[in-house]
Amino acid sequence: MSIRKIALAVACAVALAACGAPDRTGGDSDDSRLTVGVTAESGSFDPTGLKSSPGTAVQFWAPVYDTLLLRAPDGEIVPNMADFSYDDTSTILTLTLREGLLFADGTPITGASVVQSMDRFRNGGGPDAVYLADVDSIEAPTDLEVVLTMTEPDPGLVYALSSAAGAVANPAEFGNPNLALEPAESGAYTLDAARTVVGVEYTYVRNPSYWNPEAWPYDEIVLKILLDPTARINALRSGQVDATVIDAQSTAEMETLGFDVTLQSSSWEGLLLLDRGGDVSPALADPRVRQAINMSFNRSEIAQYLMLDTVEPNSQVFQETASAYVDGSEYTYDPDRARALMAEAGYADGFRLTMPSVGVISYLEPVIRDSLSQIGISARFDAVPADQVNSLLYERSYAASPYRFTQDAPWMDFTRHVFPDAPMNPFGTETPELDALLDAVRFAKPDERDTAEEEVGRYLFDNAWYAPLYNSSMLIGHIGSVDVVPQTGLNILPIQNYGRSAR
Amino acid sequence: MLSFVARRIATGVALVLIVTAITFALVFASGSNIAANILGENATADQIAAKQSELGLDRALPIQYFDWLTSALGGDLGSSYFTGEQVWGALATRVPVTVSLVVFAMLLIVIVSVAAGVLAARRGGKVDSAVQMVSVVGFALPSYWIALVLVLLIAIPMPKVFPPTGYVPLSESVWGWLGTATLPALALAIGGIGAVSQQIRGSMLDVLRLDYIRTLRSRGISPRSIFYRHALRNAAGPALTVLSLQLIGMLGGVIIIERVFALPGIGVLASSAALRGDIPVVMGTVAFTVLVVVFVNLLVDILQGVLNPKVRIDV
């Protein structure tokens, strides 16, 4: 056979195959199984090592560990395994377990087992143990009650109990040396070890002992770790996954191909202005300089031209739906006013600002450099290894930094970057006014807390603690038969928010 | 021969020690970063310090390295800081994927390169020019780009035959393995085919000019026998060296291919571990890779002796 005929035959075969490319946008998927392409590595299943948001680790443990409380899609904390109530001082939290709860091995979940699980968690030295640090005691006065006692109120406690700190593990499994790989299951699913390859693919099958199967519509969940964005797109296009994270540049293409794209608002991106005391960069001690920095950015153009309209301009670090968000407060783009503020502060000639180059958002560096140069600030970025950025910030090596900061409930965000001992307040910025505002939140009655949190947000905004540019979203590409419900207050979409579409 | 092998093994052991020590120093130079990475961005300074102490990261580097080395020699490479998986277990899962991929790619290189190189040397003229041009183009194209093109043109239209992501072990299904390994192996092999075919072509032309080839022709030996039995054997030596370099280079280049095709190989394991500071996994993959390089070099030396008695090492 001649080469020409062979080539023609191959071309025809390819053309026929291309014509037969599967339509993955609709209902030819297996309705009983959900396959999701996830973006990062898993963590340990050892309960002490469980991590809550931020991070993707929660996707891996949430199917197998049920939590005492739940964060609803609108961000509110609602009962899950237990109902909850505070006493009048908000220092005693009583959790009342549902009747008939069972671990995956069929043994009952009691108050005593919850206490054992929580004690092990908070004494285990894990990353999230700090969320129970203010709890003085955890006791089970009855089989169905668990009482947490604190010296002073902790508004973040119920949020913590909706995540890792509230994940209930089976104490009977605590002696298992392979607990990191073999979860002590209490959740809607069990891990199918035979079809799980650590770091590659995790398969979960429905737990027949679970109390609320209606909340988890799929009989089987498969999480595939797909680190490369191109691989994720290809997997979605070819039908290997039902949903996965895509990048902004692929959104139009995926929508053209008939896939749905859901935005999961997750983070803000911009500048952390950490050195508000002027230890490293004296200029940043003046709020007028920090305000000027905020006014030097044209947020709407950045969102439109750099981020292709996939982000929402925002000059506050909280989402608009958050209680700490101050309606109507924004820093408009006004370089003239910014220069005037710089001059008032004594920095008419500007100053040099050195920051670390943060790899995941290095695309912001030209914008930051150009914007700040308008007001005389010469921005320079040091090349640092990605895994050293946080450590260098903790060590106060830099006065400011570009950053992508995940957004949580306001109180949780306060604990992460507002309190004087917060990890991302390395210079320990503290004022009597702010202390009073934070105390007001801590001791507020439930119906007054939103107002108190808004006052903290107002303080942070007025004093320009940060220079956020926009809220960024995680883009979830998915087939039409999978419904994706965005989640408020978490950076990662819980697996529970994937459901069957009515279509 | 035995003393030669023993000397090469001893050299290999020294190389493993040097490379692992340097790697250890590089990755362990900042203990606080590792602990902070493990605990996440919410970690306090006290937590980080406690984790450092728990993992022994606050000890002197030589002591840490010595502990790792003695454990490794005893068969314990430790466990992942993040997943808790034994490093040996991770390697056992990932190494076969990469090995099967690399071996498949090497087979493609050998078969296609020999065929192309010999064809170019035999036929000359336009055939030679065409083979050279294709070889140069294949050598110049980055494997990452080739992988993306293969996915776009073949895998996406035919996902049931050539899945764009994932891996089916050979032990599970031969056809499944072929489906998931063919395109990645092609992407890996195309550059190597270009390099090795050129080497074979050049070596063949040199050998074919030698007097003994003319003598063989005058004795009526068939051209096929002259090419494949006599000339190729002498021309294979330099190509074997290039081939070994291709194999060693593949161990690094396979990372990109594994990422594009989401293959659970050692390349992705090593890069992920390095990025998040999973030191036991990094050290395990580095030690494994160095051992492979040492083994490949030793094998090539032995094969060279098999092909050409003049370069054999005498006992």
Side-chain angles (χ1 to χ4, degrees):
Chain A
M1 186 183 285
S2 72
I3 292 178
R4 194 177 298 176
K5 287 182 182 174
I6 293 172
L8 185 60
V10 168
C12 286
V14 172
L16 279 171
C19 291
D23 171 18
R24 281 290 297 142
T25 60
D28 64 338
S29 62
D30 179 353
D31 277 355
S32 68
R33 178 171 27 166
L34 172 72
T35 304
V36 179
V38 295
T39 59
E41 303 274 359
S42 60
S44 167
F45 285 110
D46 186 325
T48 58
L50 300 183
K51 283 187 193 176
S52 55
S53 174
T56 58
V58 62
Q59 292 183 301
F60 293 94
W61 63 255
V64 292
Y65 286 117
D66 206 8
T67 53
L68 292 164
L69 306 178
L70 185 73
R71 194 179 305 202
D74 63 1
E76 290 299 310
I77 299 299
V78 299
N80 191 45
M81 294 175 72
D83 201 347
F84 64 103
S85 61
Y86 273 108
D87 72 332
D88 289 341
T89 64
S90 297
T91 59
I92 299 176
L93 175 67
T94 301
L95 302 165
T96 307
L97 295 171
R98 293 175 189 275
E99 292 193 21
L101 295 176
L102 300 173
F103 289 111
D105 65 359
T107 56
I109 299 176
T110 65
S113 52
V114 170
V115 170
Q116 277 185 275
S117 177
M118 294 182 75
D119 274 341
R120 185 175 184 275
F121 179 87
R122 65 180 180 146
N123 297 320
D128 276 24
V130 65
Y131 290 122
L132 294 181
D134 290 339
V135 175
D136 295 329
S137 69
I138 306 175
E139 292 168 340
T142 70
D143 273 353
L144 291 182
E145 276 189 330
V146 177
V147 177
L148 285 72
T149 306
M150 295 149 283
T151 306
E152 56 183 14
D154 179 4
L157 181 59
V158 289
Y159 292 98
L161 295 180
S162 73
S163 192
V168 178
N170 189 347
E173 304 289 338
F174 289 167
N176 181 359
N178 289 327
L179 201 53
L181 300 170
E182 298 170 6
E185 295 148 334
S186 63
Y189 298 86
T190 58
L191 186 68
D192 185 344
R195 289 189 290 159
T196 292
V197 179
V198 177
V200 179
E201 185 169 305
Y202 293 74
T203 301
Y204 305 85
V205 294
R206 190 180 286 285
N207 170 14
S209 310
Y210 189 63
W211 64 276
N212 189 18
E214 293 79 25
W216 300 81
Y218 296 98
D219 293 332
E220 201 172 283
I221 293 175
V222 178
L223 300 182
K224 289 179 183 275
I225 296 178
L226 299 171
L227 301 176
D228 187 84
T230 306
R232 290 198 293 274
I233 296 283
N234 293 336
L236 184 62
R237 289 182 66 176
S238 62
Q240 291 183 302
V241 299
D242 300 319
T244 190
V245 176
I246 64 174
D247 52 21
Q249 289 74 18
S250 304
T251 303
E253 177 195 358
M254 300 313 289
E255 287 176 333
T256 303
L257 290 171
F259 293 94
D260 294 339
V261 179
T262 299
L263 269 61
Q264 163 63 14
S265 189
S266 59
S267 316
W268 65 263
E269 295 180 10
L271 290 180
L272 284 169
L273 303 175
L274 299 168
D275 185 19
R276 302 158 199 124
D279 295 350
V280 172
S281 178
L284 288 186
D286 195 317
R288 290 171 294 187
V289 171
R290 301 197 299 268
Q291 290 163 355
I293 289 173
N294 270 277
M295 292 178 194
S296 70
F297 291 107
N298 190 332
R299 291 173 173 80
S300 58
E301 286 201 355
I302 292 171
Q304 182 180 359
Y305 296 112
L306 181 64
M307 304 307 294
L308 307 177
D309 281 328
T310 57
V311 300
E312 286 297 318
N314 192 0
S315 31
Q316 300 185 44
V317 296
F318 307 104
Q319 294 179 23
E320 283 189 25
T321 53
S323 51
Y325 183 86
V326 184
D327 286 330
S329 290
E330 64 171 309
Y331 284 107
T332 54
Y333 175 58
D334 192 346
D336 291 333
R337 175 73 183 129
R339 281 189 285 270
L341 283 172
M342 291 283 285
E344 279 178 32
Y347 291 97
D349 294 334
F351 58 94
R352 168 175 271 187
L353 185 63
T354 303
M355 294 175 277
S357 178
V358 180
V360 292
I361 53 170
S362 58
Y363 47 79
L364 285 179
E365 287 173 15
V367 164
I368 294 171
R369 194 179 291 117
D370 290 347
S371 298
L372 295 182
S373 69
Q374 295 177 98
I375 61 173
I377 298 177
S378 170
R380 201 185 81 176
F381 298 93
D382 287 346
V384 300
D387 67 329
Q388 291 185 22
V389 169
N390 280 351
S391 297
L392 288 168
L393 296 181
Y394 296 157
E395 292 164 10
R396 309 181 187 189
S397 299
Y398 294 97
S401 175
Y403 214 77
R404 174 188 292 160
F405 218 113
T406 53
Q407 292 163 316
D408 204 322
W411 181 261
M412 306 302 276
D413 282 345
F414 298 163
T415 62
R416 290 161 61 208
H417 55 81
V418 179
F419 276 100
D421 59 350
M424 213 37 94
N425 185 2
F427 291 89
T429 310
E430 182 181 14
T431 66
E433 183 185 353
L434 181 58
D435 284 348
L437 291 173
L438 291 169
D439 279 344
V441 178
R442 183 188 291 279
F443 293 98
K445 291 187 169 43
D447 57 350
E448 296 168 349
R449 184 158 292 133
D450 285 0
T451 304
E453 288 176 346
E454 185 180 347
E455 289 308 308
V456 175
R458 190 187 311 281
Y459 178 92
L460 298 175
F461 175 84
D462 289 344
N463 289 276
W465 269 41
Y466 320 90
L469 301 181
Y470 50 77
N471 288 343
S472 66
S473 297
M474 185 176 287
L475 302 168
I476 314 287
H478 56 99
I479 58 175
S481 60
V482 171
D483 216 13
V484 174
V485 179
Q487 176 75 41
T488 298
L490 292 175
N491 76 306
I492 202 78
L493 193 71
I495 295 295
Q496 204 165 354
N497 289 37
Y498 293 88
R500 288 209 190 88
S501 170
R503 283 178 281 174
Chain B
M1 172 65 84
L2 283 176
S3 66
F4 168 74
V5 171
R7 279 199 305 276
R8 292 304 295 268
I9 290 175
T11 307
V13 167
L15 189 63
V16 169
L17 287 173
I18 292 168
V19 171
T20 54
I22 293 173
T23 304
F24 198 95
L26 287 173
V27 299
F28 268 110
S30 175
S32 65
N33 300 324
I34 299 163
N37 285 342
I38 294 169
L39 294 173
E41 66 179 60
N42 294 338
T44 63
D46 287 343
Q47 279 183 300
I48 293 172
K51 179 59 74 174
Q52 275 181 262
S53 180
E54 176 193 331
L55 297 175
L57 300 175
D58 50 355
R59 298 175 298 160
L61 273 182
I63 295 175
Q64 292 186 51
Y65 176 69
F66 182 74
D67 275 352
W68 175 83
L69 187 62
T70 48
S71 296
L73 290 173
D76 180 11
L77 288 174
S79 304
S80 163
Y81 284 157
F82 291 84
T83 65
E85 187 187 20
Q86 291 277 316
V87 175
W88 273 122
L91 290 175
T93 306
R94 308 297 191 112
V95 163
V97 177
T98 302
V99 166
S100 72
L101 187 64
V102 169
V103 168
F104 192 2
M106 292 300 292
L107 275 175
L108 287 173
I109 291 175
V110 168
I111 293 169
V112 177
S113 299
V114 167
V118 169
L119 181 71
R122 273 185 82 172
R123 302 282 286 269
K126 288 182 183 174
V127 174
D128 183 17
S129 300
V131 169
Q132 283 193 76
M133 189 175 69
V134 172
S135 297
V136 166
V137 170
F139 184 66
L141 291 174
S143 57
Y144 181 87
W145 184 85
I146 295 172
L148 291 175
V149 169
L150 289 174
V151 168
L152 201 59
L153 294 184
I154 301 176
I156 298 290
M158 294 188 283
K160 288 193 179 357
V161 179
F162 297 109
T165 66
Y167 177 79
V168 175
L170 191 56
S171 55
E172 193 174 302
S173 161
V174 174
W175 288 113
W177 175 79
L178 275 173
T180 54
T182 298
L183 297 185
L186 259 180
L188 269 177
I190 285 178
I193 288 171
V196 177
S197 63
Q198 286 294 294
Q199 180 62 54
I200 290 176
R201 171 199 170 272
S203 299
M204 284 290 288
L205 288 174
D206 290 340
V207 168
L208 288 172
R209 288 191 199 105
L210 295 177
D211 290 342
Y212 84 96
I213 296 294
R214 195 181 314 124
T215 305
L216 289 172
R217 285 199 187 104
S218 68
R219 289 172 58 192
I221 304 293
S222 71
R224 193 180 193 80
S225 179
I226 289 173
F227 269 95
Y228 291 103
R229 191 166 164 227
H230 297 279
L232 184 59
R233 182 171 170 148
N234 282 326
L240 188 62
T241 303
V242 174
L243 208 57
S244 71
L245 293 173
Q246 285 293 320
L247 190 149
I248 291 167
M250 256 187 225
L251 293 176
V254 77
I255 293 174
I256 297 175
I257 302 302
E258 285 179 1
R259 276 191 72 110
V260 172
F261 289 95
L263 300 173
I266 198 169
V268 167
L269 178 71
S271 67
S272 298
L275 284 172
R276 61 178 185 169
D278 199 348
I279 307 310
V281 177
V282 171
M283 293 303 297
T285 54
V286 165
F288 168 78
T289 305
V290 173
L291 286 171
V292 167
V293 170
V294 167
F295 174 74
V296 166
N297 283 330
L298 178 61
L299 192 63
V300 166
D301 284 341
I302 294 173
L303 284 175
Q304 292 280 21
V306 167
L307 285 171
N308 187 354
K310 289 183 188 173
V311 299
R312 272 179 200 164
I313 309 296
D314 291 329
V315 174

